[in-house]
Amino acid sequence: NQLTAIQNIEKSYGAKADQVAALQQSVTISNDLFKAARIDYLEALLTQRDALESQMELAEVKQQELSAYVNLYRALGGGWRDVSASPNEADVADGKKEQAAAPETDATLVAVKK
């Protein structure tokens, strides 16, 4: 199930990447047409907006792909630690107890800076 989701997202990413490339070419063409006074500046801006929206969608698809990999890792039994929990809560949940590290002194900081 997770592998199928990853494969589908990868196909979607490929199609979206092709769309982004085509829209970037259209931005170049529209800029050239504007410089030649063939189109209005508004049309050139609208083309740029479409290209930027497509890039944002591409980033969203990539995020979905990476989330699908994380879900696959979890489904296969990979370890996971809740980052929203404080370190002490996470240690208690894992059955571990760790002592807090001693704070650094000013002398240590000075020595590191030199």
Side-chain angles (χ1 to χ4, degrees):
N1 189 17
Q2 295 295 331
L3 288 176
T4 304
I6 290 172
Q7 290 172 348
N8 291 338
I9 292 171
E10 286 176 347
K11 289 177 186 176
S12 176
Y13 183 82
K16 186 59 71 174
D18 292 342
Q19 180 184 9
V20 166
L23 286 170
Q24 287 175 341
Q25 287 179 337
S26 69
V27 167
T28 303
I29 292 168
S30 68
N31 287 337
D32 292 342
L33 289 173
F34 172 72
K35 290 176 186 175
R38 299 286 183 164
I39 63 171
D40 297 331
Y41 188 58
L42 180 61
E43 292 179 51
L45 289 177
L46 292 175
T47 304
Q48 290 177 4
R49 181 195 66 187
D50 293 342
L52 290 173
E53 286 177 356
S54 182
Q55 289 175 351
M56 292 294 293
E57 291 170 1
L58 181 66
E60 290 173 4
V61 171
K62 186 64 173 179
Q63 187 272 330
Q64 291 172 357
E65 179 184 6
L66 295 175
S67 293
Y69 277 110
V70 169
N71 291 335
L72 174 64
Y73 182 73
R74 283 180 174 175
L76 293 174
W80 200 259
R81 191 173 191 166
D82 186 11
V83 295
S84 64
S86 70
N88 292 337
E89 292 174 7
D91 292 338
V92 171
D94 290 341
K96 300 176 186 173
K97 279 192 168 182
E98 297 178 12
Q99 294 184 357
E104 296 180 352
T105 63
D106 291 334
T108 305
L109 292 175
V110 172
V112 171
K113 289 182 182 178
K114 291 182 181 179

